[in-house]
Amino acid sequence: MLALVLWCFLFIVCWPIALLALIAYPFVWLLTLPFRLVGIAVHGVFALLTAMFMLPVRLLRGPRLI
């Protein structure tokens, strides 16, 4: 919602830049998509490694009381 308000403000102040931003946004989104996918994959690998290293600690701790 904030992005829409900021875009409307930019449209009032300088409409050519606002229209350029509106047209360029999908292309920028497509360019950054691979970086986001790599970030998701790296996060998943780190979560898996953390779970593997913390498993013995969780097993030694025993059952948790609610």
Side-chain angles (χ1 to χ4, degrees), residues 21-40:
L22 191 65
I23 292 170
Y25 180 76
F27 297 110
V28 172
W29 186 84
L30 283 174
L31 285 175
T32 59
L33 186 62
F35 298 110
R36 279 188 263 157
L37 292 175
V38 167
I40 291 169

Side-chain angles (χ1 to χ4, degrees), residues 5 10 12 28 30-31 43 47 52 54 59-60 64-66:
V5 172
L10 182 64
I12 292 169
V28 172
L30 283 174
L31 285 175
H43 179 73
M52 287 172 49
M54 295 301 287
L59 290 176
L60 289 174
R64 288 186 174 175
L65 296 175
I66 296 177

